[in-house]
Amino acid sequence: MDEAGTAHWTICSHRMENNVGYIKGLSEDPQRLSGGFHKMEKVMKWLFLRSVSLWPRFRSEVNDELEGKAPEVVELHQSLSPSMAAIQLALVEAMDLLLKELRKTNKIDLSDLTVENNLFKSFDEAIQRQLDPIWHTVGRKVKRLVADLKTLRKLTQHLLQYDAVTFHMYLETLRASEGVGSTWLYLEPSHRIFENSKRRVYTLVRSDGKVLVQPRKGTNSKKKPFKEREEEHKAQVEKAELLPTLEPLPKWSLIYEVLNEILIDGRKLDVPAQTNSDMDRTSADENADPIRVLIVTGDQRTCGQLQEVTRRGLESFMQEKFSSYLKERNSLQKHRRRQRKYGADKDLGTAAGATEGDEQEALKAAAKTLQQKKRAAKRSQGVSRTSALDKKRRVQEGENVELAQGDLEGAADEDRVLYADGRLELRTSFFESEPWILDDFAPDYVLIYDADLAFVRELEVYKASHPRAAARIYFLMYEASVESQKYLSTVNREKQAFESLIMQRKHLAPTAVAMGPALADRDTTLEVGGAHMTNSATRKGGGRNSLVAPRKQVVIDMREFNSSLPCVLHQKGMDIHPVTLGVGDYILSPEICVERKSISDLYGSFASGRLYHQAATMSKHYKLPVLLIEFSRDKAFSFQNEHDIGDDISVNNIVSKLVLLTLHFPKLRLVWSRGVHMTVEIFKKLKENQEEPTVQRAVEVGGEEWEDREVTNVTAVDLLRKLPGVTIHNYLPLLHACKSLAGLADMTVEELVPHMGSERNARMLRDFLDAKCPQLVTD
């Protein structure tokens, strides 16, 4: 909610006509309302609200209602594997080192710079919000530190969500993409991150069964020198064998245990007590409805991953991932060899994650061996499948054929699924993409795979409204992990946010609340909106009516209502006319057309070439085309650091592109705005002493009707302006004098002089047109 937002403008428009209309605001994010300086009071003012009602989880009415129908919750804490625990510890140490470097700067508030806060996405937003106004003055080191902290925060999440192979591939991708520009790759904990990540996927084992460890500089200084240890390691690698470890996520095994427990409990609950015979028990199992189990994840990727794991099994899933990793790794090595051949491969020096040539050869050999095994398995599977199908066909034809166990099973074309007996109906879901899943699926059991406080609250409400639903809830969480720390911090932050809102409501000033009611009459509303009475005298004559200044008119393209500028224009007393414009975004007068660009839109328009076409059409139809470049009010009023601006024009530099644009379209004017409120003031200045625009004329410009009146070949005009003797002052008279370039070539010097302003310019053009083309010299 913002003062310049569309919601506030809509409510203001509603209040102009209806002072007692029904308006209520709902929010499920107390952290945003409690942040900033009196944010709740400002939102109440923007929504014209008198009071606020808070319903936290610890409120007595809420607590009594939810606790009275609380579901049965089983908390399962799974410990991390040793390698995952080592990676997590190294990530936390790397975050701490980067935060210490960031504290040395004097550009950021240091109160919230903690590792615990860095686990949340809001930490990145808070730092970026502080740096945005001075972003053009911040050095590269600070920008790199902020980016690295964001990368490490994502790694802490991916460690618990991605499988071992995918996580290791992601690390190698980061090493290749960030390269020498990264800071965290050169920290000591980063080496441990890569080593333990590699150990989760594969290890190099010597003939005596010992695992090889990559030596690093700065370690074991009291023993042999680094070069000697490195040579010994290379000699050992040549005789080593690559052994896949393929460590699964610990939660996967826990899910299998929970599903087995659900099956056992489900059979005990569904089978009637009076059934004694095995036949009755079997028929009862077959007629019973399947047990509906819902697994809720925190993102769509994890949801798809669990679907594959439960469908194919742990070993098959990890083997397929490892096969894809080896194939991609070999393709990458071929690409690097080609780059190294032409000198394009960058040397990352002592960055973490480096692999030796011998280790790369071991990976290549493992990929070749795995490929041979897959081919052999396909051949044997094809023979056995053909034999099974042949036996099945002969049985169907009535022949007496002995069937071995598994012949007909091997002929099945369907994938093997988990619990294929039909007793279990398993479904995985990402709650944010399917918020209706609880009502539609009506699960008997719910497995919370990723700790999410929003889903926990939703599940409590669902259980209270459906007392017979969700017999049991399994809450899966890693013990002593970043996940548990983040969840506990989220609960604590929610509680603190509600406590802060309660204190704000307690000390809410009555005058501040009184600002929210519906305004008394239309004149007061218009006065607040920006229209004002114009009366230069301090006293009114007897019965003299005050003069009301006419409201200024602006024609706006309908697509501009995605921004807040139309709302602010209306609040400042301008009448806006939303239509679909063929040329420009804002028509201020019959002669002034404005194309508004935000910073992101400006970069995109240059990249797509759309801005060139827009500048050409504005220059064609309007006397004063304007390109308005609008910055965000909470960001720096600058494109880039002054030290980054080069001495020469570069096609990749945004400033150079703007210079080339103005050179190509001399009529185009650039206007810079600090924000929407400054844009309104600029529009007022531009409209002074100008006629008001007409909607019909603005719509016709660029349309088929207007295009029929005046058709101009932009490419021909560009060519005309590049001819000798043609200047910015005489190309328009030439356009009116000749209808085409062919007509220009037929004009004599005497006919050109009146339109080109001087005989000299006319002679230069005529001599160029009459000059003979040089012939190519052939043997």
Side-chain angles (χ1 to χ4, degrees), residues 45-64:
K45 175 183 175 182
W46 297 334
L47 293 177
F48 295 92
L49 298 177
R50 292 177 179 271
S51 60
V52 59
S53 180
L54 302 175
W55 292 85
R57 177 63 176 82
F58 53 82
R59 185 166 174 167
S60 59
E61 297 93 327
V62 179
N63 186 67
D64 294 341

Side-chain angles (χ1 to χ4, degrees), residues 80-204:
L80 296 173
S81 66
S83 298
M84 293 179 66
I87 294 174
Q88 179 180 265
L89 179 60
L91 286 171
V92 173
E93 291 179 2
M95 286 183 191
D96 190 33
L97 292 175
L98 293 181
L99 286 174
K100 289 180 180 179
E101 289 295 324
L102 200 57
R103 290 189 184 99
K104 295 179 182 179
T105 64
N106 57 353
K107 300 179 180 296
I108 302 177
D109 183 15
L110 308 180
S111 58
D112 294 332
L113 290 183
T114 61
V115 176
E116 180 180 353
N117 290 336
N118 190 40
L119 302 178
F120 297 92
K121 185 179 180 181
S122 57
F123 180 82
D124 305 333
E125 297 174 354
I127 291 184
Q128 195 65 40
R129 189 164 51 248
Q130 294 186 46
L131 293 178
D132 278 341
I134 55 173
W135 189 253
H136 62 291
T137 63
V138 175
R140 295 182 180 179
K141 180 181 179 181
V142 177
K143 294 180 180 179
R144 187 68 259 177
L145 290 174
V146 173
D148 287 345
L149 283 173
K150 184 177 181 180
T151 301
L152 292 176
R153 178 182 61 80
K154 290 183 178 180
L155 284 175
T156 58
Q157 298 176 359
H158 298 337
L159 173 64
L160 306 179
Q161 294 174 346
Y162 290 0
D163 59 89
V165 180
T166 304
F167 182 76
H168 188 63
M169 290 175 63
Y170 183 72
L171 283 177
E172 292 184 344
T173 303
L174 285 178
R175 184 180 187 275
S177 60
E178 296 187 1
V180 294
S182 176
T183 302
W184 72 276
L185 281 174
Y186 294 88
L187 299 177
E188 195 277 334
S190 300
H191 293 276
R192 285 186 278 132
I193 293 173
F194 278 87
E195 286 179 4
N196 287 279
S197 175
K198 187 187 302 181
R199 193 175 294 119
R200 295 177 64 202
V201 181
Y202 65 87
T203 56
L204 292 177

Side-chain angles (χ1 to χ4, degrees), residues 289-306:
D289 294 332
I291 305 171
R292 292 185 294 272
V293 180
L294 176 65
I295 303 178
V296 181
T297 62
D299 58 77
Q300 196 66 46
R301 184 188 183 97
T302 306
C303 179
Q305 182 187 74
L306 286 179

